[in-house]
């Protein structure tokens, strides 16, 4: 694939995680899992965080089932209930994270495509995309769209392939260790904006407190010259 530097030196695309990155939904996902977990008499604790945040409903449902509750629970029923409770919360409380709309508009003005890459289901993604403005996103990848989801690299690789760009020339914006592992495995440069779990800086990864601190110049600087358009 041609990876010569364009005069602009911009990323080929910016690939955004959704929950906790574009919209303030990590707290809603936790609330949904907490509600379902309480229903099977299996209260959540801080130790459950790695098995909840950044994870799809199927994974979290399996975690809840395997770690036990005093009420009988079917895996498929748990996953379906998690999706339904979360979707209902999102439908009523979609709130863009600080700086998101400004950054998306800056990308659009520079003709840099943006995509959503999420471990949430398609029906939730579509709610969020509509709330933020469908025209702001060139592509979306939901949990149903790849054989494996985060932390595997497939979601980010799928987004880059659909946009016709090299993932190494893309910046991924993430908020959880699970999502960061996915993006880094795909070869993307990573801008991390932690929502609930601290994330340390690392090679190929920049950490900010908020997307209010990010702009197109910063995103471009995350790529080495050979990785820019």
């Amino acid at each position: 694939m041609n990876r010569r530097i364009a005069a602009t030196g911009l990323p080929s695309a910016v690939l955004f995680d959704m929950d906790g990155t574009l919209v303030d939904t990590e707290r809603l996902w936790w609330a949904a899992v907490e509600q379902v977990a309480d229903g099977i008499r299996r209260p959540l604790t801080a130790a459950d965080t790695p098995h909840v945040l950044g994870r799809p409903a199927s994974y979290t449902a399996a975690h809840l089932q395997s770690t036990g509750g005093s009420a009988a629970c079917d895996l498929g029923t748990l996953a379906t209930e998690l999706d339904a409770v979360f979707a209902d919360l999102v439908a009523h409380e979609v709130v863009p994270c600080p700086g998101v709309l400004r950054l998306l508009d800056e990308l659009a003005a520079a003709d840099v495509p943006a995509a959503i890459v999420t471990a949430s289901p398609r029906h939730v993604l579509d709610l969020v995309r509509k709330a933020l403005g469908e025209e702001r996103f060139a592509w979306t990848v939901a949990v149903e769209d790849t054989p494996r989801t985060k932390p595997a690299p497939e979601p980010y690789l799928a987004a880059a392939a659909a946009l016709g760009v090299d993932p190494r020339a893309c910046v991924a914006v993430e908020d959880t260790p699970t999502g960061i592992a996915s993006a880094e495995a795909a070869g993307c440069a990573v801008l991390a904006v932690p929502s609930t779990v601290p994330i340390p800086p690392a090679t190929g990864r920049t950490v900010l407190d908020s997307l209010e601190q990010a702009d197109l110049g910063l995103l471009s600087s995350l790529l080495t010259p050979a990785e820019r358009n």
Side-chain angles (χ1 to χ4, degrees), residues 18-19 22-25 27-28 86-97 101 123-133:
M18 187 176 77
D19 299 305
L22 285 174
V23 288
D24 183 17
T25 51
R27 63 183 177 83
L28 301 182
F86 180 53
D88 183 64
L89 291 173
V90 170
H92 293 90
E93 298 187 50
V94 174
V95 178
C97 291
L101 298 183
H123 63 97
V124 175
L125 187 157
D126 287 343
L127 285 171
V128 172
R129 185 182 185 187
K130 183 176 181 179
L132 295 180

Side-chain angles (χ1 to χ4, degrees), residues 198-209:
I199 296 170
T203 302
R205 179 196 310 166
T206 298
V207 182
L208 296 179
D209 294 329

Side-chain angles (χ1 to χ4, degrees), residues 59-130:
Y59 179 98
T60 300
H63 170 68
L64 292 178
Q65 185 189 57
S66 66
T67 53
S70 59
C73 53
D74 172 74
L75 182 58
T77 301
L78 272 180
T80 298
E81 187 176 358
L82 284 170
D83 271 344
V85 173
F86 180 53
D88 183 64
L89 291 173
V90 170
H92 293 90
E93 298 187 50
V94 174
V95 178
C97 291
V100 162
L101 298 183
R102 174 198 51 77
L103 183 57
L104 288 171
D105 290 343
E106 186 177 355
L107 295 177
D111 291 324
V112 175
I116 298 175
V117 181
T118 181
S120 285
R122 170 62 56 184
H123 63 97
V124 175
L125 187 157
D126 287 343
L127 285 171
V128 172
R129 185 182 185 187
K130 183 176 181 179

Side-chain angles (χ1 to χ4, degrees), residues 128-208:
V128 172
R129 185 182 185 187
K130 183 176 181 179
L132 295 180
E134 297 182 44
E135 72 284 353
R136 288 186 164 109
F137 301 100
W139 196 256
T140 61
V141 176
V143 69
E144 301 96 329
D145 297 333
T146 55
R148 296 191 299 167
T149 188
K150 303 174 184 180
E154 280 91 333
Y156 280 101
L157 293 174
L163 294 171
V165 298
D166 188 332
R168 295 170 295 175
C170 298
V171 176
V173 185
E174 274 282 358
D175 74 311
T176 66
T178 300
I180 288 169
S182 174
E184 291 180 341
C188 302
V190 172
L191 174 60
V193 185
S195 59
T196 55
V197 180
I199 296 170
T203 302
R205 179 196 310 166
T206 298
V207 182
L208 296 179

